Amino acid sequence: MRSLCNDFDITVGFTKEDEGKPDTFGIKVLPSVTGKENKGFQEDEDEKPSVGEQGLFAYPWDKSSLKSMPIDLRQFKKLDAYAAKVSARSSVESLVSVLLQEAHSDLEKVRAIWMWICHHIEYDVKAYHNEAERSCEPADVLRSGKSVCAGYAGLFEKMCSIAGIECKQLSGYSKGYSYRIGKRFKDTDHAWNAVYLDGKWHLLDSTWGSGSVDGSCSKFTFRYDEFYFLTHPALFINNHFPEDQRWQLLKPSLTLQQFEHNVRYSPDFYTIGLVAASPKTAVIETENGKATVLIESRSPALFLCNLNGVKESCLIMLQKNGVKLEVYPQHTGTHSLQIFAKPPKDKKENYHHVLDYSLECSSVDKSTFLPKALIQPVGPSWLSEESGILNAWPTSPIIHTDDGRCIVTFTRSQDLDFFATLDCDTSPVPESTRRRHIWKTCRGDLAELRIHLPHAGDFALHIWVIVLLSKNADNTSWYVLEYKVELY
């Protein structure tokens, strides 16, 4: 999971001149969010703004865009390339002057500043571990090319000010480098920015947009992340909780307790096309030894999941608009569930870590055993349909038989050639013999498999499609449909 170091607990003294500027990590010091300094909020500090007022966004997210304002990223192609290559470092003023040669609208100015910082300021891992080496003054950050999050946010605010853009530096709590499920937040640990564009405030985090650190927070790697530029507030709140809750830019706003309890979505969760998960809380209590997770997606996606680092004990059932996961812990106690996903277009692309849950299991479902031979996902899905297996029945991924006999039927597309195999973790019957327990019948497009299990137990029924790669190549096959067949 990508994130930046942000778990220091530091409080330093400051004077009136420091108001609006953070200490080393933007801790304890907040700019004013009322009156003329913040056009997005009412002047009465005690009166909360309502939905529809200037500067606020409606909640919940309508799932149509990851951004808080309509943006076509293609319009920034030339500007992004220019800003990323600008090398002026003599002063903050001269740097902004060079950037503004190609940036004219307020949005373009913010974009150029964002792009330059994300490609030229390195997260200072040494300063993170050693307070004496930190400086977050914009001039120092520009000169060294390094800083912690408050330095990123301070430089961003300074550059926006020079460019004539209203910008605020915010501090708050974050689910970043040091976050673990169940963490309770006591002191602010991160800094980011809000910019005022087109009559509304928008949120961004140039620290997390620039790259990531390794697991020990000893090495930083530039890895640009578009997600944190003008992120919709309903998504930004997943891992950023401002000390002043009005800077959530949400109505209604979340409480810190809700923020602590809610599941953390990675940026990849949204960029892949996933939009929501249930349960929404990071800690799940199993019911009768089972936990169920539903993930909604705007488009088809592929999933993997691990329970305590292994793939067993999970059933993955693909749906047109997401996935259903059933998890069966094999012992009581606390378990770690990790969920991975990727778009289906590129079969070679790596899966991205998108979601984590902590499972509290008070009882084990001993009646459900998932064979290690089971290949995920299971049951009929858009994936099996894309491969040419249509209208598969049964629709359930688990087939229970009282006498060892069952039938699977489906419609083939374009004379699809296929075969089926039976696997069992503990079967004494060799694979060649198990195959003789499957009878295949085809009548035109209709296909039928009759299975007679060789003995009691839990079996994985694999259905494979045969594909001719080319005239001069051997045929190849891949699994497209999977069932768990059980006889007790």
Side-chain angles (χ1 to χ4, degrees):
M1 185 72 71
R2 70 171 310 284
S3 56
L4 271 294
C5 302
N6 52 11
D7 57 351
F8 264 65
D9 177 10
I10 304 170
T11 304
V12 297
F14 63 95
T15 64
K16 180 64 177 179
E17 289 72 25
D18 295 320
E19 185 176 355
K21 299 179 180 179
D23 57 303
T24 51
F25 281 83
I27 298 171
K28 302 298 184 185
V29 187
L30 271 175
S32 171
V33 294
T34 60
K36 296 180 180 179
E37 290 185 355
N38 184 0
K39 293 182 243 180
F41 292 97
Q42 297 181 6
E43 293 187 12
D44 186 350
E45 187 169 346
D46 295 325
E47 186 176 354
K48 294 183 178 180
S50 60
V51 174
E53 289 183 351
Q54 188 181 33
L56 293 178
F57 295 91
Y59 185 79
W61 174 47
D62 65 6
K63 304 176 184 178
S64 64
S65 175
L66 306 185
K67 303 295 186 182
S68 55
M69 64 185 299
I71 296 177
D72 182 356
L73 294 177
R74 292 173 297 182
Q75 68 178 310
F76 296 131
K77 184 176 181 180
K78 182 179 178 181
L79 178 61
D80 288 353
Y82 171 79
K85 292 180 180 179
V86 168
S87 58
R89 286 181 181 264
S90 58
S91 68
V92 180
E93 290 76 10
S94 64
L95 170 59
V96 173
S97 177
V98 175
L99 290 174
L100 296 191
Q101 291 177 14
E102 295 292 333
H104 306 293
S105 68
D106 286 353
L107 175 58
E108 288 177 346
K109 293 175 183 178
V110 171
R111 180 69 179 190
I113 292 170
W114 156 271
M115 191 60 60
W116 190 91
I117 290 178
C118 286
H119 286 82
H120 291 85
I121 302 302
E122 176 182 349
Y123 192 86
D124 196 340
V125 293
K126 291 184 179 179
Y128 166 76
H129 292 291
N130 188 349
E131 181 180 355
E133 295 186 16
R134 299 184 202 129
S135 176
C136 297
E137 288 298 319
D140 294 337
V141 175
L142 180 64
R143 182 175 58 255
S144 67
K146 297 181 178 182
S147 191
V148 291
C149 57
Y152 279 85
L155 178 60
F156 198 98
E157 183 183 40
K158 177 68 174 178
M159 293 176 71
C160 283
S161 176
I162 295 171
I165 304 296
E166 190 168 6
C167 176
K168 295 292 182 181
Q169 182 173 332
L170 307 177
S171 67
Y173 314 94
S174 65
K175 293 180 178 179
Y177 167 74
S178 64
Y179 174 73
R180 299 293 181 271
I181 292 177
K183 179 178 179 179
R184 297 294 180 261
F185 294 91
K186 297 181 180 179
D187 298 290
T188 56
D189 58 11
H190 194 44
W192 58 92
N193 294 98
V195 292
Y196 195 71
L197 296 170
D198 292 345
K200 291 183 177 180
W201 285 101
H202 304 265
L203 303 169
L204 50 82
D205 185 343
S206 57
T207 309
W208 289 10
S210 66
S212 60
V213 296
D214 60 10
S216 60
C217 196
S218 60
K219 181 182 178 181
F220 171 81
T221 301
F222 278 107
R223 186 179 294 113
Y224 177 73
D225 195 335
E226 175 65 36
F227 179 79
Y228 291 106
F229 178 73
L230 306 187
T231 316
H232 192 287
L235 311 186
F236 203 75
I237 194 62
N238 288 322
N239 46 26
H240 292 72
F241 189 91
E243 191 170 18
D244 187 317
Q245 296 185 22
R246 289 175 298 177
W247 281 108
Q248 295 178 27
L249 304 183
L250 295 175
K251 186 68 176 183
S253 60
L254 269 66
T255 65
L256 180 59
Q257 186 177 34
Q258 288 174 315
F259 177 74
E260 292 172 338
H261 290 170
N262 284 354
V263 67
R264 175 180 64 171
Y265 303 103
S266 77
D268 288 328
F269 182 91
Y270 295 108
T271 56
I272 289 171
L274 313 182
V275 295
S278 177
K280 295 182 179 180
T281 56
V283 179
I284 306 174
E285 293 186 4
T286 59
E287 294 185 10
N288 300 320
K290 180 180 78 172
T292 302
V293 175
L294 299 174
I295 298 177
E296 179 185 352
S297 176
R298 289 197 301 270
S299 58
L302 296 173
F303 295 84
L304 291 175
C305 64
N306 289 339
L307 186 66
N308 302 322
V310 297
K311 296 180 181 179
E312 293 85 7
S313 306
C314 300
L315 278 180
I316 301 175
M317 292 159 281
L318 295 180
Q319 301 171 343
K320 288 185 178 179
N321 295 312
V323 68
K324 179 180 180 181
L325 305 175
E326 290 184 356
V327 187
Y328 298 87
Q330 296 302 294
H331 58 83
T332 59
T334 301
H335 302 264
S336 173
L337 175 64
Q338 295 180 314
I339 301 173
F340 305 83
K342 73 173 184 177
K345 294 182 179 179
D346 186 356
K347 298 185 182 300
K348 295 182 180 180
E349 181 181 349
N350 292 330
Y351 281 82
H352 302 276
H353 188 181
V354 296
L355 207 56
D356 290 282
Y357 284 100
S358 178
L359 271 57
E360 297 293 340
C361 181
S362 57
S363 63
V364 176
D365 180 4
K366 295 183 179 180
S367 65
T368 301
F369 174 79
L370 303 182
K372 293 181 180 179
L374 204 63
I375 303 174
Q376 305 288 355
V378 294
S381 69
W382 60 263
L383 182 61
S384 55
E385 290 180 355
E386 280 190 354
S387 301
I389 294 182
L390 311 175
N391 305 314
W393 185 90
T395 57
S396 170
I398 299 179
I399 302 173
H400 177 75
T401 170
D402 294 326
D403 59 2
R405 294 177 172 86
C406 65
I407 299 175
V408 173
T409 63
F410 55 87
T411 302
R412 300 182 297 162
S413 65
Q414 300 177 350
D415 295 326
L416 189 76
D417 198 3
F418 68 94
F419 67 95
T421 58
L422 271 177
D423 273 335
C424 180
D425 295 345
T426 58
S427 178
V429 180
E431 179 184 357
S432 58
T433 303
R434 292 198 301 268
R435 287 199 183 195
R436 294 201 291 270
H437 285 257
I438 304 173
W439 290 266
K440 170 184 170 182
T441 304
C442 294
R443 298 182 183 89
D445 293 338
L446 299 179
E448 179 181 272
L449 295 173
R450 291 181 175 269
I451 297 97
H452 187 183
L453 300 180
H455 54 77
D458 296 277
F459 289 80
L461 172 64
H462 315 292
I463 301 175
W464 308 80
V465 167
I466 302 174
V467 179
L468 180 63
L469 294 178
S470 67
K471 293 182 179 180
N472 299 322
D474 294 332
N475 291 354
T476 187
S477 60
W478 64 71
Y479 131 84
V480 294
L481 182 56
E482 185 89 358
Y483 287 97
K484 175 183 181 290
V485 186
E486 55 187 29
L487 169 64
Y488 300 121

